[in-house]
Amino acid sequence: MASISGIYSSSPTLNHKNHSNPIRRRTPLPSFPPHPKPSPPRSLAREAPAQLSAITKRVNAGLEKDPRALWLRYVEWLYQHKELGLYLDVSRVGFSDEFVREMEPQFQAALRSMEELEKGAIANPDERRMVGHYWLRDSARAPNSFLKAQIDKTLDAISEFANDVVSGKIKPPSSPDGRFTQILSVGIGGSALGPQFVAEALAPDNPPLKIRFIDNTDPAGIDHQIAQLGPELASTLVIVISKSGGTPETRNGLLEVQKAFREAGLNFPKQGVAITQENSLLDNTARIEGWLARFPMFDWVGGRTSEMSASIDIKEMLAGAALMDEANRNTVIRNNPAALLALCWYWATDGVGSKDMVILPYKDSLLLFSRYLQQLVMESLGKEFDLDGNRVNQGISVYGNKGSTDQHAYIQQLREGVHNFFVTFIEVLRDRPPGHDWELEPGVTCGDYLFGMLQGTRSALYGNNRESITVTVQEVTPRSVGALIALYERAVGIYASLVNINAYHQPGVEAGKKAAGEVLALQKRVLAVLNEASCKEPVEPLTLEEVADRCHAPEDIEMIYKIIAHMAANDRALIAEGNCGSPRSIKVFLGECNLDELYA
Ligand SMILES: O=P(O)(O)OC[C@H]1O[C@H](O)[C@H](O)[C@@H](O)[C@@H]1O
């Protein structure tokens, strides 16, 4: 108890005793933030004098620390969406009215580009693609009737399929009780994070089908998921999700699952569902093999904004997202929650990502929201070049788990340590379903503690000049989760326009994928060289230098060493003599010679 009351009283900003005359104390404000900001980068100074002056003024701006003035600021800026029961509080972010005025033209331009995007403009110029995730929740906004029909048809088909699976109309072929009991979702990135977040947030305590995920190419992780299913593999619906239909991690997951089906004597196609673009590799495989169902993903929906393409209770989520989208079309910044968020991000990070975004949901079921936002924000905003080709190295880092758990982990640093972040609290007003609450001490419930922790942390951080935003929802429901996703999707879009980058492609991810492909190609060459030497009489063990020379890749010797060490650790018919800690001592050959391959 002592520590709880400590938190309540730790905020100088809310403790009237600290201020002799709170109402009149309007000017002698400590500057907020207290340290001078680093100068904006040169390109910004050169290209946007208005922004520069806003940032300079911001350095000198003080935020009201007087509790009454703070309350007025809270009331003045509080955004409420009545129908969604959603609130956005930006009062603990220190932007000045002048900053908002100076940003106004940029915001109007950003809102106009969002309008164009919704009308079907090529908003992803590098990939020459439209960006249509907003149409998924309001198909009437799709730019033509063909796209509208595609969206409506898919939504109906998914709903019907989900109902038939849950009701038992669609059955697994060899399950004893005749119903699907588990879902195994195979996918990565945007094809995993959204479903994971939504499942964690919305699944009831005893769902008709339990869901588990394979979202990596880690064989031990895949084995673990399959082992946990045990005999229930026979009643598992396997949903393979990949927009491109060619992502190697997802393909590997599928191949591993298919192997497990074969070993259990089960017929995979009767339990397999593919969610992918029409005519992708995955789609074609599913069609040829006659999988149970196939649902389309659309070219104009990016992976990280595809959460609304397939999900249980999708209609309510879509309704929440559609309401939020509507609010986000408002051209008055303070009445547009996504614009308000983007404004806070711009202010807090100087429009150059100088601070990290810490997401703290005070609700266990929202644990994965920060992980979901990590992809949405960092993959969208983390760009080397702006739309005019200038090198800008943009982005905002995102991390966070959940409150109050994080109170016992890293909040110490947030309050007192390096000041390189701003916080977003996600508050859920309803603690428990009605009728289940009880007071664990007089007048106080378990949920009151959680509430106290959130408010206390917000005040304690603010008391030390750490800015925060608070998003409040009444309950975690499909509707509010849909609204939260839509709020952040749009804020990312607006922010991207403000800083003039393409939020809808991910060229940086491709570099790593290409490099991974090159490593695997090199491994094949290494194996061919070793096979040739191992087919000699007597067998010719090779040093790493010799392997590298014969692969015509002397510059890749370090990678060859790593490939050999990895294969040796995994009992791969490869014999390495010497000590892995002294790479020069290693001599390597294969335990068996493959003549077919040698003469292929
Ligand atoms: O859905 P897929 O095509 O399999 O893509 C899965 C993921 O692949 C890449 O890593 C992209 O950067 C992500 O944006 C995408 O979500």
Side-chain angles (χ1 to χ4, degrees):
M1 228 356 246
S3 65
I4 294 283
S5 47
I7 284 171
Y8 275 124
S9 60
S10 69
S11 162
T13 63
L14 295 182
N15 187 344
H16 284 231
K17 283 180 202 147
N18 289 342
H19 302 290
S20 47
N21 189 347
I23 301 174
R24 262 185 278 144
R25 204 169 171 280
R26 294 189 64 90
T27 34
L29 305 169
S31 75
F32 187 93
H35 305 296
K37 290 264 165 180
S39 329
R42 265 222 210 108
S43 62
L44 188 62
R46 212 175 38 235
E47 283 156 30
Q51 274 176 37
L52 177 62
S53 82
I55 289 167
T56 315
K57 279 170 190 151
R58 176 206 164 161
V59 173
N60 304 320
L63 177 65
E64 298 289 0
K65 301 288 259 186
D66 174 321
R68 284 290 185 92
L70 200 52
W71 166 242
L72 291 180
R73 181 175 172 85
Y74 178 84
V75 173
E76 188 192 346
W77 280 96
L78 183 66
Y79 170 83
Q80 179 198 17
H81 192 300
K82 282 211 181 102
E83 206 174 340
L84 284 169
L86 179 143
Y87 297 80
L88 177 59
D89 158 33
V90 296
S91 64
R92 264 57 168 184
V93 179
F95 56 80
S96 58
D97 291 350
E98 196 176 4
F99 175 78
V100 180
R101 265 196 306 279
E102 290 194 30
M103 291 297 291
E104 183 70 27
Q106 274 172 271
F107 266 93
Q108 290 311 322
L111 295 173
R112 273 195 303 279
S113 24
M114 293 307 296
E115 206 182 320
E116 292 304 310
L117 175 149
E118 286 201 325
K119 285 187 186 148
I122 301 294
N124 179 355
D126 302 49
E127 296 176 353
R128 304 276 328 135
R129 280 176 167 155
M130 298 188 289
V131 173
H133 49 277
Y134 299 109
W135 312 329
L136 298 178
R137 42 254 196 177
D138 185 358
S139 63
R141 288 188 174 270
N144 61 54
S145 55
F146 174 74
L147 293 183
K148 180 182 180 325
Q150 252 190 333
I151 295 167
D152 293 341
K153 206 176 96 198
T154 305
L155 185 55
D156 288 345
I158 289 172
S159 303
E160 194 186 330
F161 180 77
N163 288 339
D164 288 351
V165 167
V166 172
S167 71
K169 191 169 161 198
I170 296 181
K171 300 179 202 311
S174 36
S175 154
D177 68 0
R179 275 180 192 242
F180 281 108
T181 58
Q182 300 268 349
I183 295 174
L184 181 58
S185 177
V186 184
I188 198 167
S191 294
L193 288 161
Q196 280 168 328
F197 163 50
V198 167
E200 181 84 14
L202 298 177
D205 293 339
N206 291 301
L209 285 90
K210 295 205 181 74
I211 188 161
R212 43 181 75 249
F213 294 89
I214 291 178
D215 66 353
N216 198 357
T217 186
D218 171 10
I222 295 173
D223 292 348
H224 177 68
Q225 293 303 333
I226 293 172
Q228 294 258 304
L229 285 169
E232 275 191 272
L233 195 63
S235 58
T236 298
L237 186 71
V238 182
I239 304 183
V240 187
I241 311 175
S242 172
K243 180 182 169 187
S244 62
T247 302
E249 289 92 332
T250 304
R251 185 211 56 167
N252 295 355
L254 168 62
L255 295 179
E256 294 276 359
V257 172
Q258 285 178 321
K259 175 168 169 282
F261 268 73
R262 276 196 304 281
E263 286 169 0
L266 298 168
N267 184 354
F268 177 82
K270 298 283 173 241
Q271 295 177 227
V273 177
I275 303 181
T276 182
Q277 280 189 102
E278 271 173 16
N279 295 320
S280 72
L281 199 58
L282 172 60
D283 190 42
N284 291 337
T285 308
R287 194 183 56 245
I288 292 163
E289 293 181 357
W291 291 19
L292 182 59
R294 294 182 291 129
F295 298 105
M297 287 179 97
F298 306 116
D299 171 66
W300 36 266
V301 177
R304 56 190 172 275
T305 49
S306 66
E307 181 38 35
M308 308 285 172
S309 343
S311 163
I312 303 173
D313 225 344
I314 190 170
K315 290 198 169 145
E316 263 299 290
M317 273 182 66
L318 290 170
L323 281 169
M324 178 50 75
D325 288 346
E326 193 50 47
N328 289 334
R329 289 184 191 106
N330 199 309
T331 55
V332 179
I333 298 177
R334 67 170 64 229
N335 296 334
N336 177 326
L340 269 178
L341 263 192
L343 176 82
C344 292
W345 297 355
Y346 198 101
W347 169 269
T349 72
D350 296 328
V352 293
S354 61
K355 289 219 164 93
D356 301 345
M357 185 189 303
V358 181
I359 303 286
L360 280 180
Y362 278 65
K363 187 55 70 186
D364 284 4
S365 64
L366 297 181
L367 170 71
L368 297 182
F369 192 44
S370 54
R371 207 204 284 185
Y372 169 76
L373 290 182
Q374 231 163 26
Q375 187 200 19
L376 179 67
V377 175
M378 295 176 75
E379 201 169 67
S380 302
L381 301 181
K383 299 292 155 66
E384 186 166 13
F385 298 103
D386 70 10
L387 284 166
D388 301 322
N390 303 309
R391 188 183 301 275
V392 288
N393 297 109
Q394 271 290 355
I396 303 178
S397 301
V398 178
Y399 66 93
N401 300 300
K402 63 177 181 177
S404 67
T405 313
D406 289 346
Q407 187 82 29
H408 303 273
Y410 58 78
I411 299 283
Q412 164 63 29
Q413 175 170 319
L414 297 194
R415 176 142 203 284
E416 297 183 356
V418 55
H419 188 176
N420 60 356
F421 67 90
F422 64 101
V423 172
T424 306
F425 293 103
I426 312 284
E427 180 186 29
V428 180
L429 291 178
R430 166 69 75 186
D431 293 331
R432 273 191 166 133
H436 286 72
D437 230 350
W438 65 288
E439 293 182 355
L440 40 71
E441 60 189 65
V444 181
T445 66
C446 193
D448 294 342
Y449 268 79
L450 190 66
F451 166 79
M453 287 293 191
L454 189 161
Q455 301 306 332
T457 306
R458 174 173 172 269
S459 300
L461 289 177
Y462 181 72
N464 218 14
N465 292 328
R466 270 63 173 157
E467 290 168 299
S468 68
I469 300 163
T470 304
V471 181
T472 303
V473 294
Q474 302 289 323
E475 283 180 78
V476 179
T477 59
R479 186 173 273 242
S480 63
V481 166
L484 279 176
I485 291 173
L487 172 64
Y488 275 83
E489 280 178 349
R490 193 74 155 213
V492 162
I494 294 174
Y495 185 87
S497 287
L498 292 177
V499 299
N500 191 35
I501 54 153
N502 180 354
Y504 308 106
H505 67 168
Q506 52 282 330
V509 181
E510 304 309 320
K513 285 186 193 167
K514 192 165 161 262
E518 284 162 8
V519 172
L520 294 177
L522 181 61
Q523 176 167 318
K524 286 184 184 160
R525 268 154 57 210
V526 168
L527 277 172
V529 162
L530 290 178
N531 188 41
E532 193 177 338
S534 306
C535 286
K536 289 196 174 149
E537 280 292 346
V539 171
E540 186 191 8
L542 300 178
T543 63
L544 292 181
E545 279 84 2
E546 286 164 338
V547 178
D549 283 344
R550 292 186 196 189
C551 285
H552 307 291
E555 69 287 358
D556 288 333
I557 187 160
E558 185 180 323
M559 188 58 74
I560 289 171
Y561 163 66
K562 285 176 189 284
I563 286 170
I564 286 172
H566 176 245
M567 288 200 292
N570 285 282
D571 315 321
R572 300 278 288 281
L574 177 142
I575 298 166
E577 294 169 342
N579 174 1
C580 268
S582 324
R584 284 172 178 276
S585 71
I586 295 175
K587 285 202 156 195
V588 65
F589 58 97
L590 294 184
E592 51 202 47
C593 145
N594 185 338
L595 285 175
D596 292 347
E597 196 180 289
L598 189 60
Y599 297 114

